[in-house]
């Protein structure tokens, strides 16, 4: 990127927004490390995905300068142009939103990981999309732990069948499991249940090691329960306007 070759990014040149993001990132990274310490887990056991939804590509660029390597988005209309504008950054793009089958081809063009796979038809559509773009996609099975419709997610009982469908798809790799803590259930209990589902899954699919859980308000409980990936938006970028 720049010809400056050493050390931390030059904070002067980041501008006020960059400094704000740098401060927030430091705080979030400290929270993750403290949660790892409390759980007796090494700091590198948990990866930070910064959820950039509703924020512009310029913020993604600043985040990349600050060492962020993985970003999350939840709407294809917004994510597709943003990912294209940031294609030179070499980031890993996680699609974390509910996904309609007719959007699967578009998402397969830029996503590296789709965390919200919850039904067989979506598996087929993503595999076809990935084939079309000659790419591979890592898929996580989104699990619904309260059975309530609205946030999406497969029932725990449907996980084995979905896992097999993903594993048998030539352009897809089964990465593991994901959840959004249901409002009705305590986050800690939901994350423990997800971890348990992940452990069971690895009985038949040993490489499916990813457990994506935890957002700005509950990352500590997720790390405690064994999450390998946390998805943090608000705590890094600030409160979103109510676009969604
Ligand atoms: C928006 C979103 C997040 C981030 O939530 P914050 O509370 O802003 O950290 C994480 N996961 C999913 C699925 C999301 O839609």
């Amino acid at each position: 990127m720049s010809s400056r070759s050493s050390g931390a990014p030059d904070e002067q040149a980041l501008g006020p927004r960059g400094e704000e993001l740098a401060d927030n990132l430091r705080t979030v990274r400290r929270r993750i490390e403290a949660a790892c310490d409390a759980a007796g887990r090494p700091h590198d056991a948990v990866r930070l995905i910064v959820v950039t939804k509703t924020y512009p590509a310029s913020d993604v660029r600043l985040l990349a300068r600050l060492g962020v390597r993985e970003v999350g988005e939840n709407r294809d209309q917004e994510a597709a142009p943003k990912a294209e504008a940031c294609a030179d950054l070499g980031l890993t793009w996680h699609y974390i939103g509910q996904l309609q089958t007719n959007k699967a081809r578009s998402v397969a063009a830029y996503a590296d990981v789709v965390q919200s796979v919850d039904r067989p038809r979506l598996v087929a559509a993503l595999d076809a999309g990935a084939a079309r773009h000659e790419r591979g996609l890592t898929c996580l099975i989104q699990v619904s732990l309260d059975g309530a419709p609205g946030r999406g997610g497969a029932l725990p009982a449907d996980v084995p069948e979905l896992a097999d469908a993903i594993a048998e798809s030539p352009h897809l790799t089964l990465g593991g499991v994901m959840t959004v803590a249901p409002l009705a259930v305590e986050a800690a209990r939901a994350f423990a249940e997800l971890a348990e589902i992940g452990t069971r899954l690895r009985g038949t699919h040993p490489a499916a090691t990813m457990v994506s859980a935890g957002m700005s308000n509950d990352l500590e409980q997720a790390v405690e329960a064994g999450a390998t990936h946390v998805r943090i938006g608000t705590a890094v970028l600030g409160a979103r306007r109510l676009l969604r």
Side-chain angles (χ1 to χ4, degrees), residues 51 53 74 96 178 180 214-217 231-235 240:
V51 178
K53 65 188 182 194
N74 76 335
I96 61 174
M178 175 272 212
V180 177
M215 319 202 309
S216 292
N217 289 330
R231 311 177 305 268
I232 310 298
T234 307
R240 289 177 294 276

Side-chain angles (χ1 to χ4, degrees), residues 88-201:
D88 58 307
L89 300 175
L91 301 174
T92 296
W93 291 79
H94 294 257
Y95 190 87
I96 61 174
Q98 281 185 264
L99 183 52
Q100 291 182 307
T101 309
N102 63 4
K103 294 283 169 64
R105 197 210 282 183
S106 172
V107 167
Y110 58 85
D112 301 288
V113 183
V114 178
Q115 298 209 358
S116 46
V117 178
D118 60 1
R119 57 199 191 279
R121 283 194 54 200
L122 184 54
V123 174
L126 285 168
D127 190 50
R132 166 77 62 135
H133 297 293
E134 300 184 322
R135 301 183 73 234
L137 290 180
T138 296
C139 293
L140 305 191
I141 300 172
Q142 181 177 350
V143 186
S144 167
L145 293 168
D146 59 0
R151 269 187 308 273
L155 296 175
D158 295 333
V159 168
E161 184 194 338
L162 267 174
D164 291 344
I166 294 167
E168 286 161 13
S169 300
H171 299 272
L172 308 182
T173 301
L174 178 63
V177 291
M178 175 272 212
T179 202
V180 177
L183 305 174
V185 184
E186 202 197 334
R189 216 188 83 198
F191 296 151
E193 259 181 73
L194 182 73
E196 174 80 38
I197 290 167
T199 301
R200 239 179 286 141
L201 178 63

